[in-house]
Amino acid sequence: MKQNVILSILGRQSYLGQEPDQIELVTEGVLEDVGNSWFLSYEESDLTGMSGVTTTFIVEPDKVTLKRTGKLNSHMVFQEGVVHESLYQVEFGALMISVCASRVMADICHDGGIYTGLRSNGS
């Protein structure tokens, strides 16, 4: 079942010796129940610097996948304690990154939900 939703996405980055950088995006999106997983997707805008890109989070019981398609493409998997390598495409090229999530937590239902705690050590 697909339904239109309002997504509130809070991003936070921390670098050693610096104050955390935090940004919040509130946008319209789509929530879809696909059996044992949930798809959350939205269209990026000029505000995020990725106009022409569709971002989709695939939330499964043991992992979350972030997919971006369109002008830029990327596929990152966040799974506790498991290293996943991903090709991360940006406007000027691509780079290979490794991500190992230390915590992934989601609580989603048809009435809404909370997805928190995506922490990773990227390299």
Side-chain angles (χ1 to χ4, degrees):
M1 174 174 120
K2 280 188 183 182
Q3 62 190 62
N4 294 330
V5 294
I6 299 296
L7 298 171
S8 174
I9 301 166
L10 182 64
R12 182 175 165 171
Q13 287 184 301
S14 298
Y15 299 99
L16 190 61
Q18 296 181 9
E19 290 293 316
D21 184 24
Q22 188 167 296
I23 186 168
E24 183 175 15
L25 172 68
V26 177
T27 188
E28 295 178 354
V30 175
L31 173 66
E32 184 176 3
D33 180 357
V34 186
N36 202 26
S37 60
W38 294 89
F39 285 36
L40 289 161
S41 61
Y42 64 95
E43 299 296 322
E44 297 284 353
S45 67
D46 289 334
L47 180 65
T48 63
M50 292 189 287
S51 182
V53 174
T54 300
T55 296
T56 303
F57 291 96
I58 303 166
V59 181
E60 299 174 84
D62 67 335
K63 66 182 173 185
V64 173
T65 302
L66 168 63
K67 289 177 64 174
R68 288 199 167 112
T69 57
K71 271 176 76 174
L72 304 174
N73 296 290
S74 66
H75 181 123
M76 293 190 292
V77 179
F78 300 91
Q79 187 172 15
E80 286 185 27
V82 180
V83 177
H84 289 276
E85 291 188 348
S86 304
L87 187 64
Y88 189 78
Q89 182 185 1
V90 293
E91 188 174 346
F92 304 105
L95 58 119
M96 183 64 77
I97 62 170
S98 296
V99 176
C100 182
S102 59
R103 187 174 76 182
V104 179
M105 192 172 65
D107 184 10
I108 300 175
C109 68
H110 291 283
D111 295 326
I114 296 173
Y115 166 66
T116 61
L118 183 76
R119 290 188 182 170
S120 66
N121 300 318
S123 57

